[in-house]
Amino acid sequence: MVLQLIIIAYYILGIEMSCRGASEDMQVIIAEYKTVLDIEVNCEGASGDMQFIKAEQNNMSSTSDDFSKVGLSSAQLHVLAVDDSAIDRKVIEKLLKNSSYKVTAVDSGRKALEFLGLGEDYNTVNNNNELEVNMIITDYCMPGMTGYELLKKIKESRLKEIPVVIMSSENEPSRMIRCMDGGAEDFILKPVQMSDVKRLKNFKQSCCLPVLS
């Protein structure tokens, strides 16, 4: 966690981080986060795993072209990302934006419901005349309201047609089955990879959220 925070801090401050002299495992960890956050990595003399990750970073620039070929654009696909971890929110936001999604990120299920106009009384008024959300991707373990609880509230609302994808850092089959039975479109293990994001286009759904006046 400390290393993750350091990498994020370097990213925010625009400082280049070098993997030179680090252990092989440390090089791979640093490279993974740099790849997601689009930070330049010097791979000279690095391990094979790190070289592979750097190649994955170079391939990320072509992802937008893959989506354009199937007629998708950021204007068409708006994802609401929900995660209480600032680091994980930054990671998923970066991955989605690199794939031409428009992203709104919030840190709790409550804020997600408010954004969707599903507050406590389900009559929260949005400031926009019309809001379009095509997909919701949420972490499972969050304080106050879990991703599963958020999933259930959405599926019991007027917005039940919006696809919901659950993320989790724990590979628990019972948790996955519970979410899929509850209406989730997919269950993704963290850390989220670009291959996971590419799958999301299969679940796209255009749902305009009406503003209650």
Side-chain angles (χ1 to χ4, degrees), residues 149-173:
E149 292 169 336
L150 175 61
L151 167 69
K152 293 296 290 182
K153 286 183 178 295
I154 292 170
K155 292 306 176 181
E156 293 169 356
S157 75
R158 66 182 187 278
L159 306 178
K160 60 183 179 181
E161 298 302 321
I162 298 181
V164 179
V165 174
I166 305 292
M167 304 178 291
S168 177
S169 58
E170 299 179 16
N171 187 8
E172 295 186 9

Side-chain angles (χ1 to χ4, degrees), residues 137-152:
I137 181 166
T138 178
D139 186 29
Y140 183 93
C141 289
M142 296 185 294
M145 180 185 299
T146 67
Y148 176 75
E149 292 169 336
L150 175 61
L151 167 69
K152 293 296 290 182

